Amino acid sequence: VQLQASGGGLVQAGGSLRLSCAASGFNSDYYTIGWFRQAPGKEREGVSCIGTNWDSTLYVDSVKGRFTISRDRAKNTVYLQMDNLKPEDTAVYYCATDFEESCSSSILQYSYKMDYWGKGTQVTVSS
């Protein structure tokens, strides 16, 4: 099981980035994929997840209306489209999966429930 996050970069406030989480070694269609982030000096927090029941989605309040999570089944990849970025979105972003957890507020709150993690991608938003 491998997850590869990419797409981070430096962007000005109000700009957009699209993060990709490429899965290998398993079919991500059948499992919840979550995006998490960790800013310097802060704890890791859940940002969004996409489940397997009709691709249900969930977002942390701070990104609702600005971020969109989606799947590309042909590419076995999950995306996080981030629009209207703010300096407080600056963090290392990680994608993760677990073969038992559903997309829920629980996994966004308790990231340790996710068993498989990719390496992070840095997102820096300048003011």
Side-chain angles (χ1 to χ4, degrees):
V1 175
Q2 286 193 329
L3 296 168
Q4 179 66 52
S6 62
L10 173 63
V11 64
Q12 289 188 331
S16 298
L17 285 172
R18 188 178 77 161
L19 305 185
S20 300
C21 177
S24 59
F26 73 106
N27 187 339
S28 64
D29 290 357
Y30 300 117
Y31 303 105
T32 291
I33 304 291
W35 282 99
F36 301 82
R37 65 187 180 186
Q38 187 165 21
K42 295 188 177 181
E43 292 187 356
R44 187 169 59 195
E45 69 167 340
V47 175
S48 180
C49 59
I50 186 165
T52 57
N53 294 327
W54 308 109
D55 282 353
S56 58
T57 60
L58 197 63
Y59 301 90
V60 69
D61 285 347
S62 60
V63 308
K64 283 180 181 177
R66 300 189 297 121
F67 290 11
T68 305
I69 191 170
S70 63
R71 291 183 190 272
D72 183 332
R73 287 179 164 74
K75 296 183 178 179
N76 204 19
T77 297
V78 171
Y79 299 103
L80 185 68
Q81 177 67 40
M82 306 187 297
D83 298 318
N84 191 21
L85 282 160
K86 302 177 180 181
E88 52 263 43
D89 295 318
T90 295
V92 178
Y93 284 71
Y94 302 87
C95 58
T97 191
D98 189 89
F99 291 170
E100 295 184 356
E101 295 291 336
S102 301
C103 176
S104 66
S105 56
S106 177
I107 66 166
L108 293 187
Q109 185 174 4
Y110 304 112
S111 61
Y112 63 81
K113 291 186 175 185
M114 306 297 273
D115 282 342
Y116 301 98
W117 292 80
K119 292 182 180 180
T121 185
Q122 175 72 46
V123 172
T124 303
V125 185
S126 63
S127 57

